[in-house]
Each structure stands twice: as structure tokens, then as C-alpha cells.
Amino acid sequence: MKCENLETVLSQNSYPGRGIVIGRSEDGQHMAIAYFIMGRSQNSRNRVFVAEGEGIRTEAFDPSKMEDPSLIIYSPVRVLEGKTIVTNGDQTDTVYDYLAQGKSFEEALRTRTFEPDAPNFTPRISGLVEGSAYRLSILKSDNGDEARPQRFFFEYANTQAGQGHFIHTYRCDGSPIPSFEGEPELVTIQGDLDAFTQRVWNALNQDNKVSLFTRFIHLGTGKTDTRIVNKNQ
């Protein structure tokens, strides 16, 4: 698989929806994570990321404009005993609870399916970082057939410095919006945390981007460094 420039991949897609990037920093010393959300409706755009413990949560920027919170208010990032969970929905809590019981990432996600937002049936995307290894998953419908859920799992270890994998909910904009297809995309991870954050944020579509979370985790010490960018300030 050819390694694509992450900025190019993002800038060429006006609506990848929500996306997870996990990989190894360019200096090889950190695991890198990015999670972003986008929105087309007022309800989806009316959000910000806020820090919560070792993770983050979404909340309404203007509570008076909040319509249906069920699929847009959740904890995208949580940490359990050095394991970092990042997802695009409340399956973060499912994975956290299963790991706390000594069960696996895959076991947790086999109890879940795509979002109940017909006709899009938005996929649930999830990641788990543990040391220098990481996992990604997508739960999606079979070409829009809600009776046939599909679950895909991908596992990576000791990724090359400056490279990672990118998975997102939508292949592109549309009506209904077509789900992501295939394996996570192999992409570049460039610069230090600030540069990486700026590259991702600037490459996202100006009209549709909402919030971005990035984190570097030092592979030697486990020390974390985090950035949060919100379009609504």
C-alpha cells in the first residue's frame, strides 16, 4: 500500500465525516493520535471538544441550539491503564468497560453496530493504542442494508516512524453519504505535535470542520501531550 500524504488526502475530501489517525511520530519516539469531527447540520456544527480527565468529551457550544444530543454528545477519548481508546461515539464507553473486565477491544465492538441514523447508517470507527501497537475498527452496514451489519478489525505493531493509518466514516460527501470502504489508509505523520495539529486542521474543509483532538504519547515514559482545536471558540 502506497503511503499517502495526510494533508493531501484530507484536502481532497470535503466531507470525510469523523476521522481517526493513529501512527508513529516522525522522530520515532511517540505514538501520534488525531481525532476530528465535521458537520453539515447546525446541530452537528454546534459542538466543541473539552478536556475530561485523561480524555475528552463533546459538548454543545450553544446549549440553546442543541436539538438531538443522542449521537453527537459522547466521550471520544478515554484512557485505561495506559491504553488510549478513541472512537466516534458512545462505543468508547463500551470498549472501556470491556477492557476494565479483562476482555478485548474486539469483544466489546462485536456487541455494537453502526449508528441508527437512516439512510446514512453512519459507521462506528474505533481505535486503541497500547505501547507501540494499535488497533482500528469499523462497524458498518452492507451497502446501506441495516439488516446486515459488517465488522472489520485491523491490527498494527511497530509502524515505521512518520507513518500511520487513517480511517473515517464517509468515503466522500453525498446523499445518503457513502460509508468508508476498504482498509485504513496508510498516511504520513509529519512534524512535532504542534506541526501535526496544524497540518491536520488546516487541511480539513473550512466549511465543514468542527473540532480536532491530537495527542503524542512518549514511547519511553508514557508522558502525553495534547492539543484541542475548536472552530467554535
Side-chain angles (χ1 to χ4, degrees):
M1 181 183 293
K2 180 183 177 183
C3 186
E4 303 287 349
N5 182 280
L6 177 58
E7 292 170 89
T8 301
V9 172
L10 290 171
S11 64
Q12 291 178 345
N13 188 345
S14 64
Y15 202 63
R18 286 163 277 172
I20 298 171
V21 181
I22 302 176
R24 196 157 185 166
S25 64
E26 195 169 20
D27 65 9
Q29 297 182 31
H30 305 82
M31 294 304 291
I33 302 172
Y35 175 65
F36 64 80
I37 59 175
M38 307 182 83
R40 299 189 303 177
S41 68
Q42 175 180 278
N43 199 42
S44 292
R45 291 177 175 179
N46 181 36
R47 288 183 290 176
V48 291
F49 286 164
V50 296
E52 183 175 60
E54 295 181 274
I56 59 170
R57 71 176 189 277
T58 62
E59 66 177 33
F61 174 65
D62 182 347
S64 70
K65 295 180 179 178
M66 177 59 64
E67 297 169 10
D68 178 9
S70 61
L71 294 176
I72 64 172
I73 301 300
Y74 56 94
S75 297
V77 179
R78 296 184 69 183
V79 177
L80 176 68
E81 298 174 349
K83 303 178 182 72
T84 303
I85 307 156
V86 53
T87 91
N88 73 325
D90 64 12
Q91 73 269 27
T92 306
D93 299 330
T94 306
V95 173
Y96 185 97
D97 291 343
Y98 267 64
L99 294 178
Q101 297 167 26
K103 298 178 182 179
S104 71
F105 176 74
E106 292 80 6
E107 285 177 291
L109 293 171
R110 288 189 184 109
T111 70
R112 303 301 303 269
T113 185
F114 45 82
E115 294 182 353
D117 61 340
N120 297 315
F121 298 118
T122 298
R124 291 188 187 273
I125 55 173
S126 307
L128 178 69
V129 181
E130 184 175 7
S132 62
Y134 59 97
R135 301 178 186 188
L136 289 167
S137 170
I138 184 167
L139 316 177
K140 54 184 286 189
S141 68
D142 184 359
N143 291 312
D145 186 343
E146 63 180 315
R148 293 160 57 183
Q150 299 179 330
R151 297 177 177 88
F152 299 91
F153 300 95
F154 307 90
E155 188 170 354
Y156 306 95
N158 297 317
T159 301
Q160 183 175 324
Q163 293 187 358
H165 291 87
F166 173 36
I167 194 166
H168 41 103
T169 52
Y170 304 129
R171 195 164 68 248
C172 57
D173 207 342
S175 184
I177 318 174
S179 294
F180 179 89
E181 291 182 348
E183 293 183 31
E185 300 163 76
L186 181 64
V187 294
T188 56
I189 306 288
Q190 295 178 285
D192 61 13
L193 178 58
D194 287 321
F196 175 60
T197 303
Q198 185 176 39
R199 287 174 186 274
V200 174
W201 183 249
N202 291 344
L204 292 169
N205 181 270
Q206 178 63 33
D207 293 331
N208 295 324
K209 65 184 178 182
V210 176
S211 295
L212 169 67
F213 160 91
T214 57
R215 173 170 289 173
F216 271 21
I217 306 170
H218 194 277
L219 285 166
T221 65
K223 180 181 180 296
T224 64
D225 203 5
T226 299
R227 302 288 183 271
I228 294 174
V229 185
N230 292 306
K231 188 174 181 179
N232 295 313
Q233 295 291 347

